Amino acid sequence: MTTKKKAPLRIFGLLLMAAAAAALYFGSNDRPAGSGQERSGADPGHSIAALETFVTANGENSSYYHVYKKWEEAKEAVPNRQYNIPAAAMTGGKVYGRSQSEGYGSDVVYLEPKEVLTFDADVAEQGLYEIWIDYYTLDKTALNPELDVEINGKYQFNEMNKLNLAIDWKVNDGSRKVDRFGDELTPKSAIMTRWRSEGLADPNYFFTEPLKFLLHKGKNSVRITLNEGYILVGKIELKNTQPSAVTYNEYRAALEGANLEDSKNGSNKVITIEAEQVSLKSRQSIRAKYVRDPQVTPYAYKHRVMNVLDGYSFGESGDRVSYPFTVEESGYYELTFKYSQDTNNGMPTNRRIEIDGEVPFKELEHYAFHYSSGWKNETLQDENRVPYQIYLHKGEHTLTLSIDNAKIREIYHELLRTLEAIDITAQHVNRLTGGLIDKERTWKIETYIPEIAAYLQGIAAKIEEQKLALIAQTQSDDLPVITELEIAEQLIREFIQDPEQLPHYMTKFNEGPSSAYGKIKSVLPMLVYNPLHLDKIYVHNGGELPAPKANLLTRTVENTKAFFYTFANPRYVQAAEIDDDTVEIWVNQSRLYVEIIQRMIDEEFTPETGIKINLSILPDENKIVLSNAADSTPDAALGVSHGRPFELALRGIIENLRTYDGFYELAEQYHPGAFIPFIYDEGVYAFPETQDVKMLFYRKDILDFLGEEPPETWDDVVSLVPMLQKYDMNFYTPLGSDNAYKGFDVTTPFIYQFGGQLYDETGTKTVIHKDGAYQAFEFMTDLFTVYNVPVTTSEFFQSFRNGKTPVGIGDANTYIQLKHAAPELAGQWGILPIPGVKNKAGIIERWDPTYGSASIIFKNSDKKEAAWEFIKWWASAETQSAFSYNIQATLGDKFLYMTANLEGFENSAWPSDSKDVILEQWKWIQATGKVPGDYVLEREISNAWNQVVFDKQNPRIAIDNAVKIINRELERKLNEFGYIENGNMIKPYVVPMLENVENWVRTNGK
């Protein structure tokens, strides 16, 4: 939900700017009234009230937490009546009959991504209602179903933009699989397809009960858009459910009054549940791992065996795992968890514990597992350390552990509110000062913001309030999160004593990680992260359990055995002895990536082709040149950076892949521009693997407030910038990053968009001082010297998140951060292709290079054909798509793989909400062709830009000086590689460009 500010706020902003001008003109050294003692004794209650009024008037309170609080304050009704909407009453999707309903028994609606389902809800009473959906998740994709819901054409709160439907992953319980070295592989899992009825839930898990929606009396229009996944929808219900959890004492009293057949203690037999043997899980990436500890079972010192539920994979909000177990005798039982929790800065970890789908009593809704650096047995117990006894009937049961944020809901949102207050206060101060830092000037802050001291006092009181709440909840006052809040409060209180210091020390207030803002912000992720490693769960009737830790003698013996085994371990011995039939490939990726690729090879490629592949990690690309000198290169390499193949091709180290069978057919699956950096002379010396993308990110809420549209062209950008600057905001371009070196990735987009080129047709001279290239260079510098776009922005993500830079150009990492690390902005931001320059035909040219990694084959290899067969398999759409899902299944939703294969990307695990924008931007790929000595061109463009922007040099002089240096070096390098002799061109050098690249990568290109 976006809330537009009223016109008077704009007038107020203009008045503030006028006041700032007056302050600059009439400023004096008069101290504001009121002493430090008077301020420090201010009433916190009054200060908090003033702060709340201030933030409410200027801030954005559209999260469900704040909206629901307003509904509660307004005493909106929660009706008991239930309304059913059958599939026949819905519009949209495809109606399937009973025969296609997967057992539902009546008509259902089939929905694909981006399809819309609408219906009218006619209610007899205005009030808050939950929306319950009967749905069946189809296994056409591994992505979680995601909905977008509008009621009467509006989003009532931000979370309505992204509502997830719960799914379960069934772990494959087939035979245990091991790799070539005998190490156990993580079992695969598949979506459990079944009908389920669920209320639409908070995607951030701050509420355990279903979300409420406000419906007016009479007809209400409900629109549901499926953003992700494939589902069948049965009926939809509008109703309200009531939580029914009781306290432990009430639970025991109810059982004792029920006259159960056997209300005594259950069987003396200990039921042991191995925590790694998960039956169902909410995310595919929740996984087991190996811990080499003789007291952890199963255990082996020779091989890796899955023996622990990995807490790092089971620590995100919404994570859930289930275990089946059987009780042989009815009665009371205790639950004990063998766990380790040595991360998250000492914060306790919480778990919701359910038996057969229900929380037995309130104390298990959020049970805390405290910090423990080693293994520990924790029997569920009360504050007096008396174990809880849970009654279980004889037979099958299910134990479910899940994570939610309900316990820290108030603290988290009030700290967010405090950050918002700091931001708004800083904006008002900056409007007065224009962001000027002058420690010799007195700004008279309290003259123009009379309540500034009260606002600061309110911020400090809010921090103190939440700090005390956190201490009460964690039962500890010496955690790092408490220290961070104490430092933040102290920094704010320093300004309460003298608000005049605010403009001079914004780095203490809201700028940077050491500021009060930065300290509070660092606390938030720790509040919602709940890692917990689990080895075993015991269901027992008292008695003694196995010790959680092995004794010293056992550990010593096992460590000694493991040490001596390393000398015979096939993982190391066989890795050094590659047989004649095995293709050796180096991979410039992490160990986890390499293990995933190797598993795919062993399960798919080798059985299909008979070609054995051995992967090894390439820790440093410089090793390639050294190994070539020692005549010990492998057969091929993956993940090589985009600039390396050209250097290796110049020196004759790698193969021209263009000569291999199937090259052109495979190249058709890629954008031709992706091959440009890998072309040298007549050959193509690498095959693309990955490629990045740049996109325009914009805050919908802020642009709505300003009445502006996201920019399509650079003319639009320079028109938008003054409006942003009027409200102490700005635009971000990667040229303004904190990296002083401006590479081709940030400079050539402008040159190509303005119609310029880097080289002449021979590659012997640069033309950056001519036509469109020079026009682009002038614009690149004018953005900062004329339009005052920030010269350095250290972190675009944070600046975008807090609204300081609501429009800017980011990459795929920015997208991932916003999607997963900024839940409060859900639905408040969007993406578009980057701004460009409109040509004479009226088409906006959005040219941008996309750089990534590539695969190569070494010339010294005697298994070139086998290596090419592998690269063909690896680079295919099917393999690249499958790899993206395997990465996500192993490491989680935050790990997204951006393949350069266009078809593979369309079918990859990348979220659907951005695929169209990325594919549209990829139509404008234009990388720079490689020329011997091109490093000097990249460097001198960067130097010239810095000289103009920082040293105020004339652009023409800067670029002309650069051209002289560039041409001299280009001639020297072309002479070195035999293209120029005695100043004359003796053989042509063809510079690969977008206009001629098809000559190398398309069958009809030449």
Side-chain angles (χ1 to χ4, degrees):
M1 181 182 75
T2 56
T3 306
K4 293 189 178 181
K5 305 293 187 290
K6 304 294 184 183
L9 186 58
R10 294 192 183 187
I11 297 172
F12 176 66
L14 293 172
L15 290 174
L16 281 177
M17 294 180 69
L24 285 167
Y25 188 76
F26 295 109
S28 72
N29 291 317
D30 296 338
R31 302 294 294 174
S35 68
Q37 287 81 3
E38 290 172 335
R39 290 199 183 94
S40 62
D43 175 24
H46 169 75
S47 300
I48 290 177
L51 179 71
E52 287 293 336
T53 303
F54 176 59
V55 176
T56 301
N58 296 278
E60 187 72 47
N61 299 310
S62 52
S63 71
Y64 179 71
Y65 171 82
H66 291 293
V67 171
Y68 185 64
K69 281 184 72 173
K70 289 177 184 176
W71 286 340
E72 286 187 316
E73 291 167 3
K75 298 182 178 179
E76 291 288 353
V78 183
N80 291 323
R81 189 168 175 181
Q82 179 174 320
Y83 301 88
N84 293 335
I85 295 94
M90 305 173 196
T91 303
K94 299 173 185 174
V95 177
Y96 282 4
R98 295 180 62 179
S99 62
Q100 296 176 288
S101 69
E102 299 291 347
Y104 190 68
S106 62
D107 288 353
V108 297
V109 177
Y110 168 71
L111 288 178
E112 294 185 347
K114 300 182 183 176
E115 288 191 331
V116 177
L117 191 67
T118 61
F119 62 89
D120 290 331
D122 199 341
V123 298
E125 180 183 359
Q126 173 170 313
L128 305 178
Y129 294 84
E130 298 167 6
I131 299 179
W132 286 70
I133 301 180
D134 290 357
Y135 65 94
Y136 183 99
T137 304
L138 300 168
D139 56 2
K140 292 186 176 183
T141 177
L143 300 179
N144 206 87
E146 183 183 297
L147 305 177
D148 171 306
V149 178
E150 294 177 57
I151 294 179
N152 297 321
K154 295 181 179 178
Y155 297 113
Q156 296 177 349
F157 42 86
N158 281 351
E159 289 83 348
M160 290 174 70
N161 291 274
K162 181 191 174 187
L163 299 174
N164 297 320
L165 294 179
I167 59 174
D168 286 321
W169 290 86
K170 175 81 174 168
V171 180
N172 183 1
D173 56 0
S175 59
R176 172 177 172 267
K177 290 189 175 182
V178 297
D179 65 13
R180 65 180 68 185
F181 304 114
D183 293 335
E184 186 176 359
L185 296 170
T186 304
K188 292 187 176 182
S189 53
I191 291 176
M192 188 175 181
T193 55
R194 64 183 175 91
W195 279 101
R196 57 195 299 165
S197 181
E198 300 280 351
L200 295 182
D202 177 15
N204 302 316
Y205 304 96
F206 288 110
F207 293 81
T208 54
E209 64 276 10
L211 297 169
K212 305 285 188 184
F213 301 86
L214 179 62
L215 299 180
H216 301 298
K217 181 179 179 180
K219 188 178 291 186
N220 295 266
S221 173
V222 180
R223 175 188 171 96
I224 299 176
T225 304
L226 183 66
N227 295 329
E228 201 74 79
Y230 297 80
I231 62 173
L232 300 177
V233 177
K235 71 176 184 296
I236 295 177
E237 297 175 293
L238 306 177
K239 61 182 180 180
N240 284 298
T241 54
Q242 299 297 328
S244 57
V246 296
T247 66
Y248 177 65
N249 290 335
E250 292 170 337
Y251 167 79
R252 285 301 302 263
L255 287 172
E256 289 167 5
N259 295 320
L260 298 169
E261 284 184 18
D262 185 358
S263 59
K264 299 178 182 179
N265 290 336
S267 169
N268 290 326
K269 181 179 179 182
V270 176
I271 302 169
T272 302
I273 302 172
E274 290 289 351
E276 71 276 3
Q277 294 178 3
V278 174
S279 173
L280 295 175
K281 54 187 181 179
S282 59
R283 282 194 300 113
Q284 197 178 7
S285 56
I286 296 174
R287 63 187 182 275
K289 73 172 184 178
Y290 169 62
V291 172
R292 189 162 61 84
D293 184 329
Q295 203 65 5
V296 173
T297 59
Y299 168 74
Y301 73 89
K302 289 185 177 182
H303 307 293
R304 289 188 293 179
V305 291
M306 299 294 108
N307 56 8
V308 167
L309 177 62
D310 184 4
Y312 302 126
S313 73
F314 181 47
E316 300 292 335
S317 306
D319 284 354
R320 182 182 69 255
V321 295
S322 295
Y323 303 93
F325 66 98
T326 303
V327 172
E328 296 180 356
E329 186 178 334
S330 299
Y332 288 103
Y333 292 86
E334 298 171 5
L335 284 179
T336 296
F337 294 80
K338 181 181 175 182
Y339 81 93
S340 168
Q341 203 281 86
D342 57 356
T343 53
N344 207 24
N345 294 290
M347 287 282 289
T349 283
N350 295 291
R351 287 295 182 272
R352 179 183 179 91
I353 301 170
E354 300 176 14
I355 303 290
D356 300 328
E358 299 288 338
V359 178
F361 40 87
K362 282 186 178 179
E363 288 81 352
L364 298 189
E365 286 185 335
H366 303 98
Y367 190 87
F369 293 87
H370 291 279
Y371 179 88
S372 175
S373 59
W375 291 107
K376 173 183 178 182
N377 284 341
E378 170 77 10
T379 300
L380 302 184
Q381 55 193 297
D382 63 19
E383 62 273 12
N384 297 318
R385 305 189 67 78
V386 177
Y388 293 126
Q389 293 191 316
I390 301 170
Y391 187 83
L392 298 173
H393 290 284
K394 178 181 178 180
E396 299 289 330
H397 294 276
T398 301
L399 170 67
T400 300
L401 309 177
S402 60
I403 305 171
D404 62 63
N405 300 320
K407 193 173 181 179
I408 51 87
R409 175 172 66 214
E410 297 285 337
I411 297 172
Y412 187 93
H413 284 90
E414 290 308 314
L415 287 176
L416 270 182
R417 183 87 158 159
T418 304
L419 290 178
E420 190 176 12
I422 293 174
D423 260 338
I424 294 171
T425 304
Q427 288 171 14
H428 279 67
V429 171
N430 283 331
R431 285 176 196 162
L432 284 173
T433 66
L436 181 65
I437 299 175
D438 184 353
K439 295 184 180 181
E440 302 302 318
R441 185 182 296 277
T442 300
W443 294 101
K444 292 190 174 183
I445 295 292
E446 289 180 288
T447 301
Y448 303 105
I449 312 178
E451 294 282 342
I452 185 70
Y455 300 156
L456 294 171
Q457 182 70 35
I459 291 171
K462 274 281 190 185
I463 298 172
E464 174 72 12
E465 184 178 83
Q466 301 315 312
K467 182 190 75 175
L468 294 176
L470 198 53
I471 290 172
Q473 191 173 106
T474 60
Q475 301 175 9
S476 176
D477 60 358
D478 62 351
L479 296 173
V481 289
I482 304 298
T483 303
E484 294 293 281
L485 292 179
E486 287 174 345
I487 295 172
E489 182 182 350
Q490 180 58 38
L491 290 170
I492 297 297
R493 292 199 181 280
E494 289 177 9
F495 291 118
I496 295 173
Q497 303 302 317
D498 187 4
E500 287 297 324
Q501 296 301 310
L502 255 180
H504 309 321
Y505 297 101
M506 295 301 277
T507 52
K508 286 187 176 182
F509 188 63
N510 77 317
E511 296 177 2
S514 299
S515 66
Y517 185 98
K519 294 293 181 183
I520 298 171
K521 182 169 65 66
S522 70
V523 167
L524 296 179
M526 290 185 271
L527 297 181
V528 295
Y529 183 46
N530 287 275
L532 184 72
H533 304 293
L534 282 174
D535 175 25
K536 297 180 186 67
I537 305 167
Y538 301 105
V539 183
H540 60 106
N541 175 19
E544 188 173 347
L545 298 174
K549 298 179 182 178
N551 60 46
L552 178 61
L553 178 60
T554 301
R555 293 200 306 270
T556 302
V557 170
E558 292 300 324
N559 287 337
T560 302
K561 287 160 64 178
F563 170 74
F564 282 106
Y565 181 69
T566 58
F567 297 102
N569 191 334
R571 176 173 290 277
Y572 308 111
V573 175
Q574 291 178 17
E577 299 174 358
I578 304 298
D579 61 54
D580 293 338
D581 297 327
T582 301
V583 178
E584 185 182 4
I585 297 177
W586 289 351
V587 185
N588 188 23
Q589 287 284 8
S590 69
R591 179 173 297 279
L592 267 175
Y593 274 56
V594 171
E595 288 178 354
I596 294 168
I597 301 170
Q598 185 71 68
R599 180 171 181 175
M600 292 177 67
I601 292 168
D602 293 343
E603 293 181 352
E604 300 169 28
F605 177 73
T606 299
E608 290 173 7
T609 64
I611 300 172
K612 292 187 290 184
I613 303 289
N614 183 71
L615 302 182
S616 303
I617 295 175
L618 173 62
D620 184 356
E621 286 186 355
N622 291 320
K623 182 182 176 182
I624 293 175
V625 177
L626 297 176
S627 63
N628 181 70
D631 196 24
S632 61
T633 54
D635 299 296
L638 304 182
V640 179
S641 60
H642 72 276
R644 188 70 63 172
F646 179 77
E647 298 173 9
L648 300 176
L650 270 175
R651 291 160 177 81
I653 297 175
I654 57 177
E655 281 285 292
N656 172 16
L657 303 183
R658 189 181 173 203
T659 61
Y660 285 85
D661 183 50
F663 171 84
Y664 295 108
E665 290 78 7
L666 185 59
E668 288 285 349
Q669 299 177 21
Y670 293 75
H671 190 286
F675 291 89
I676 290 177
F678 312 136
I679 294 172
Y680 166 61
D681 205 13
E682 296 291 324
V684 179
Y685 288 86
F687 215 94
E689 285 185 49
T690 63
Q691 61 188 24
D692 200 358
V693 68
K694 292 197 191 80
M695 297 174 282
L696 179 79
F697 293 81
Y698 64 96
R699 287 281 297 270
K700 295 178 182 179
D701 53 339
I702 293 177
L703 290 189
D704 282 350
F705 160 60
L706 297 175
E708 298 285 347
E709 294 293 326
E712 291 279 349
T713 67
W714 286 108
D715 285 341
D716 295 339
V717 170
V718 298
S719 298
L720 175 64
V721 164
M723 176 63 78
L724 295 175
Q725 291 170 345
K726 189 166 90 172
Y727 290 92
D728 189 37
M729 296 181 282
N730 224 312
F731 178 87
Y732 172 77
T733 170
L735 258 178
S737 71
D738 56 0
N739 187 350
Y741 186 78
K742 310 302 176 183
F744 280 158
D745 57 320
V746 298
T747 58
T748 57
F750 293 94
I751 292 172
Y752 294 140
Q753 288 174 16
F754 277 84
Q757 291 295 335
L758 297 179
Y759 307 100
D760 65 9
E761 63 277 2
T762 66
T764 60
K765 289 183 170 50
T766 183
V767 291
I768 58 171
H769 57 309
K770 297 180 180 179
D771 306 322
Y774 179 72
Q775 186 183 355
F777 180 76
E778 275 198 319
F779 181 77
M780 285 159 51
T781 56
D782 285 350
L783 273 174
F784 302 90
T785 60
V786 177
Y787 301 108
N788 292 320
V789 169
V791 173
T792 54
T793 299
S794 59
E795 195 174 353
F796 172 53
F797 163 68
Q798 276 305 333
S799 187
F800 183 87
R801 186 180 187 179
N802 62 31
K804 187 79 174 174
T805 310
V807 189
I809 297 172
D811 57 14
N813 286 329
T814 308
Y815 173 83
I816 295 170
Q817 286 178 302
L818 287 171
K819 194 167 182 70
H820 295 285
E824 74 279 6
L825 292 184
Q828 300 285 38
W829 58 277
I831 56 174
L832 287 171
I834 64 172
V837 176
K838 191 175 289 187
N839 62 23
K840 293 179 181 178
I843 298 171
I844 300 173
E845 297 189 11
R846 308 177 191 272
W847 299 115
D848 186 68
T850 57
Y851 296 121
S853 58
S855 307
I856 58 176
I857 296 176
F858 290 95
K859 192 172 285 292
N860 288 341
S861 169
D862 58 358
K863 306 183 190 76
K864 297 186 183 72
E865 289 296 335
W868 171 244
E869 285 302 315
F870 169 74
I871 288 178
K872 281 201 299 182
W873 171 82
W874 171 243
S876 67
E878 296 80 6
T879 304
Q880 288 290 292
S881 174
F883 181 65
S884 74
Y885 282 104
N886 289 337
I887 285 288
Q888 202 171 76
T890 305
L891 302 177
D893 297 341
K894 298 174 185 176
F895 290 82
L896 295 173
Y897 178 73
M898 184 163 270
T899 174
N901 187 303
L902 300 180
E903 183 183 340
F905 178 77
E906 284 190 72
N907 299 318
S908 73
W910 199 271
S912 297
D913 62 359
S914 59
K915 276 184 180 175
D916 289 345
V917 174
I918 293 172
L919 289 169
E920 175 61 30
Q921 180 57 53
W922 275 350
K923 292 178 181 177
W924 298 96
I925 293 175
Q926 185 167 185
T928 300
K930 303 292 287 183
V931 172
D934 60 355
Y935 56 84
V936 74
L937 173 60
E938 187 173 26
R939 185 189 70 201
E940 289 306 317
I941 292 177
S942 175
N943 290 344
W945 183 90
N946 280 287
Q947 289 163 3
V948 174
V949 172
F950 292 106
D951 300 338
K952 309 305 178 188
Q953 192 173 102
N954 181 280
R956 173 53 72 183
I957 293 174
I959 207 70
D960 284 346
N961 289 339
V963 167
K964 296 174 185 176
I965 298 171
I966 295 164
N967 287 342
R968 189 162 53 243
E969 182 66 8
L970 289 178
E971 183 176 348
R972 189 182 74 81
K973 296 301 291 185
L974 287 169
N975 183 75
E976 177 184 340
F977 288 100
Y979 288 92
I980 294 178
E981 188 176 298
N982 298 323
N984 298 315
M985 200 85 176
I986 59 174
K987 64 177 179 178
Y989 187 91
V990 181
V991 181
M993 297 182 293
L994 194 65
E995 291 79 4
N996 62 10
V997 67
E998 293 193 358
N999 293 341
W1000 284 274
V1001 298
R1002 296 291 187 262
T1003 53
N1004 59 352
K1006 197 167 183 178

